[in-house]
Amino acid sequence: LSVKERPNSSISGKVIMLDPGHGGNDPGAIGTAIVGNKRVYEETINIAIANKVKSKLEALGATVIMTRTNSSKTIDLDSRAALCRASNPDVFVAIHCDASETSSSAAGSTAYYYKTYSYPLANSLNKSIVAAYQNKIYANNSTMANKADDKGSMFKGFRVTRVEECPAVLIEYGFVTNVVECNALVSD
């Protein structure tokens, strides 16, 4: 049994694994945004978000490991979890976008965790994403800012959140089936 030290406020020197969801033969949900005359798929948005997060984390001194770096690579869920176990990061963050089959107006982010010690990470990340939506991305759109209210962090046994070696969360950054939100997700 090994337990990593509780992280301090700095991420300098920490190892963070980012897992951009889907890819290859599983493109994920079809988005409503058009990029280059084509509808964008979730896998493409997930990679873009992961690359931006990676750059920001590395600028703060973290080492970032990516489970995949392009949309054509297929990695099954068990392999993603195994890669996490083998890499022994301080935290694991699966990056996804949500979709709704019943409502094109569904919006907002959700953070999922399975192990109790992953809850603080899920909760903190979700609150930061909600704040970014409300105070920056939708600063001039009160309707969307209100939809970005905090849905909270939810307990869910996704394979990638059941990793035991480190805090592991799955973040749904927003809904690709909402036109406004999908356009925000593909925007710099």
Side-chain angles (χ1 to χ4, degrees), residues 64-126:
V64 179
I65 301 169
M66 302 271 284
T67 59
R68 67 182 182 91
T69 56
N70 63 60
S71 292
S72 63
K73 186 173 184 178
T74 301
I75 304 173
D76 66 50
L77 294 172
D78 288 331
S79 297
R80 291 170 194 259
L83 185 57
C84 178
R85 288 182 183 103
S87 300
N88 195 29
D90 292 294
V91 297
F92 176 92
V93 179
I95 295 173
H96 285 261
C97 294
D98 220 334
S100 174
E101 294 179 5
T102 59
S103 173
S104 63
S105 66
S109 67
T110 310
Y112 294 96
Y113 69 96
Y114 184 71
K115 298 293 183 181
T116 305
Y117 52 79
S118 296
Y119 173 79
L121 176 64
N123 193 49
S124 176
L125 290 176
N126 195 57

Side-chain angles (χ1 to χ4, degrees), residues 117-177:
Y117 52 79
S118 296
Y119 173 79
L121 176 64
N123 193 49
S124 176
L125 290 176
N126 195 57
K127 285 188 181 303
S128 294
I129 294 166
V130 168
Y133 273 123
Q134 292 177 335
N135 302 325
K136 294 179 183 175
I137 298 167
Y138 298 142
N140 298 319
N141 185 335
S142 61
T143 301
M144 288 304 290
N146 289 335
K147 286 185 177 187
D149 66 339
D150 192 350
K151 294 176 182 57
S153 300
M154 301 179 152
F155 175 83
K156 183 86 174 187
F158 293 116
R159 267 185 251 174
V160 293
T161 62
R162 291 191 311 243
V163 172
E164 295 181 353
E165 289 77 7
C166 67
V169 299
L170 184 146
I171 306 293
E172 298 278 6
Y173 277 80
F175 282 77
V176 297
T177 50

